[in-house]
Amino acid sequence: MIKRIIAGFLMAMLLVQSMFTGSANAANAFNDISGHWAQKSINELASLGIVKGNTKRLFYPESPISRGEALAMLNRVFDYVYGPVAKPVRKENIDYRYQPRWEIEQLLTNMNTMLQIETGVIGEYDPGDRMLYYLFLSDSGKLIKKPEKQNPEWWLSSSALQRPLSREEASVIFFHMLTPQIFQTANIKPQDAASYFTSYYEWKQESYYRDTYSPYATAIREFHLFTSPTTFNPDKKMTRAEYAVVLKRLLDYYKKQAVLQFQAKGVPQQKISTAFLRAANLAFETKNQAKLLKYYTPAALTSMGKLGLVPLHTDLTGLTVKVDETDGKKLWLSAQYKVGLHGSYQIEYRLDPDPTSTYGRKIAAVVMQK
């Protein structure tokens, strides 16, 4: 049965790949961006399915981007590079009437999982939840910082998500999105990450920009998402074109980092390997046809179909990385899984270099250890 499913996946993926190839070759994704300064970035993001227009192929580049749209597009950037690394969790403080809610919930789950991978700690701090709370404060006309007493019943309404995104709000979103990368250079212990990021607004630090005391714009400056020289214009509403350009810069950063982490040794390599394997296992577990060949070669998928057990992404308990003895460019991931009353088992995955993957690698061989 599993073999037939895998065969169906491979056939479907060939069709999907041909469809995406055709769309990527389009000269212009939309009818209203010809000659626009952000045309190149918008077209590239459109070819990847990250930005979308309406049925008339209109993008409205000078219209403001809404908060909800911004979050949904951000999730698509992450999804394109890393893929979902965990199943989305329903958030009761997001208005159920907001249609793209599931994309936001997937984004929040990805953010929390990536921070846990980076710190190795499953704590109370949730960067996505904190990010949404700050948007709630901003929509309520309050400063985007930790209040003396948090309202436990805060709720981000559909109308709040449909209102325009300001540049300060955007800096808050990207700050929390990049929390794992900021942690890498923060020189703090993993157990201190929660207090550090929750109280970030209260840290006394000089702002790089003359027109805002908010620390978030300065904190993300090292990632070169915004190119303002000395002023940030925190209250200015972001247009769809401006946001698309920032997303393109984040996309390029993520793609570069994913490849560089695999090339690094030790801890960075193990962390990106963990994210990769969680995404790969989740794609196989959920039979995600659009993702399977992002992580597996056809031969590896066939091997996966022969396994007696389906390795669930939530059952991954340990991972070690070693270089292949005969080819230094290949890596072996030894993954330990737990299976309830059945105890634990181990699977080894060989990752070969592959320029078609955003990780720069794909699973080319799968061996179950007895």
Side-chain angles (χ1 to χ4, degrees):
M1 178 65 179
I2 296 180
K3 292 181 180 179
R4 290 199 298 271
I5 293 175
I6 296 298
F9 286 169
L10 295 177
M11 292 179 64
M13 278 308 304
L14 291 175
L15 177 61
V16 170
Q17 284 185 326
S18 66
M19 291 171 60
F20 275 108
T21 301
S23 63
N25 290 333
N28 236 0
F30 306 105
N31 294 327
D32 58 349
I33 63 170
S34 182
H36 194 281
W37 63 272
Q39 177 181 348
K40 184 177 179 181
S41 293
I42 295 171
N43 275 333
E44 180 169 343
L45 295 181
S47 73
L48 304 177
I50 294 171
V51 301
K52 303 174 182 179
N54 60 14
T55 55
K56 296 181 180 180
R57 295 182 68 240
L58 298 175
F59 183 70
Y60 301 106
E62 295 306 312
S63 295
I65 185 77
S66 71
R67 295 162 176 157
E69 285 178 309
L71 294 173
M73 290 180 188
L74 186 56
N75 179 60
R76 294 171 205 155
V77 168
F78 183 93
D79 180 89
Y80 176 76
V81 178
Y82 298 105
V85 290
K87 292 181 180 179
V89 177
R90 176 73 177 96
K91 289 287 186 178
E92 297 298 331
N93 46 11
I94 301 177
D95 195 334
Y96 67 91
R97 296 169 296 183
Y98 188 66
Q99 189 174 1
R101 185 193 72 237
W102 71 269
E103 289 192 86
I104 298 177
E105 290 170 344
Q106 180 66 74
L107 174 67
L108 303 183
T109 304
N110 287 334
M111 291 170 66
N112 197 29
T113 302
M114 290 300 278
L115 183 60
Q116 290 176 8
I117 291 174
E118 180 60 40
T119 62
V121 174
I122 301 177
E124 298 180 357
Y125 179 70
D126 184 329
D129 190 69
R130 175 61 52 176
M131 173 187 73
L132 286 190
Y133 184 65
Y134 286 149
L135 290 180
F136 161 76
L137 290 178
S138 180
D139 189 69
S140 304
K142 301 176 182 177
L143 291 176
I144 305 178
K145 66 177 183 178
K146 180 183 177 183
E148 293 182 3
K149 185 176 182 181
Q150 179 169 322
N151 176 8
E153 299 181 357
W154 68 273
W155 192 61
L156 203 57
S157 67
S158 178
S159 58
L161 288 167
Q162 294 178 61
R163 280 193 267 275
L165 178 80
S166 72
R167 287 172 61 89
E168 182 180 17
E169 291 169 347
S171 71
V172 171
I173 288 174
F174 288 110
F175 170 84
H176 288 86
M177 189 72 197
L178 292 162
T179 293
Q181 289 75 23
I182 295 172
F183 172 81
Q184 293 172 7
T185 57
N187 194 29
I188 57 173
K189 298 178 180 178
Q191 59 267 31
D192 296 331
S195 59
Y196 177 81
F197 287 109
T198 301
S199 305
Y200 194 82
Y201 198 102
E202 300 169 3
W203 287 83
K204 293 182 179 179
Q205 47 193 318
E206 185 177 353
S207 175
Y208 175 81
Y209 301 100
R210 298 197 306 258
D211 56 352
T212 178
Y213 291 105
S214 171
Y216 303 112
T218 298
I220 64 172
R221 184 172 170 269
E222 63 177 294
F223 302 102
H224 307 290
L225 302 180
F226 295 82
T227 56
S228 307
T230 56
T231 58
F232 192 73
N233 298 314
D235 298 325
K236 183 180 181 295
K237 306 304 180 186
M238 289 198 74
T239 66
R240 291 169 60 82
E242 290 170 337
Y243 191 73
V245 170
V246 173
L247 280 188
K248 174 61 170 59
R249 293 169 184 155
L250 179 67
L251 174 70
D252 292 342
Y253 170 78
Y254 273 156
K255 288 166 62 178
K256 182 178 180 180
Q257 287 302 306
V259 173
L260 287 177
Q261 274 192 265
F262 263 122
Q263 294 174 351
K265 304 294 182 181
V267 175
Q269 190 179 68
Q270 193 205 33
K271 289 176 179 177
I272 194 64
S273 297
T274 300
F276 175 90
L277 198 54
R278 282 185 64 97
N281 285 164
L282 182 58
F284 189 81
E285 173 189 342
T286 57
K287 303 178 178 64
N288 189 331
Q289 297 182 15
K291 295 293 183 185
L292 281 173
L293 289 187
K294 175 185 177 74
Y295 309 108
Y296 303 90
T297 64
L301 270 180
T302 300
S303 298
M304 289 289 289
K306 295 178 181 178
L307 296 179
L309 294 169
V310 175
L312 304 181
H313 75 290
T314 52
D315 290 341
L316 180 64
T317 59
L319 183 69
T320 57
V321 185
K322 63 180 181 180
V323 178
D324 185 80
E325 294 180 355
T326 60
D327 189 340
K329 295 181 180 180
K330 299 178 180 180
L331 297 176
W332 281 96
L333 307 185
S334 297
Q336 292 77 44
Y337 297 90
K338 62 178 181 179
V339 191
L341 298 176
H342 299 287
S344 60
Y345 63 98
Q346 180 174 308
I347 297 178
E348 291 194 345
Y349 304 86
R350 195 187 78 218
L351 272 59
D352 291 0
D354 191 318
T356 67
S357 168
T358 52
Y359 281 95
R361 294 178 179 273
K362 281 186 181 180
I363 297 173
V366 180
V367 181
M368 190 164 195
Q369 298 298 311
K370 297 181 180 180

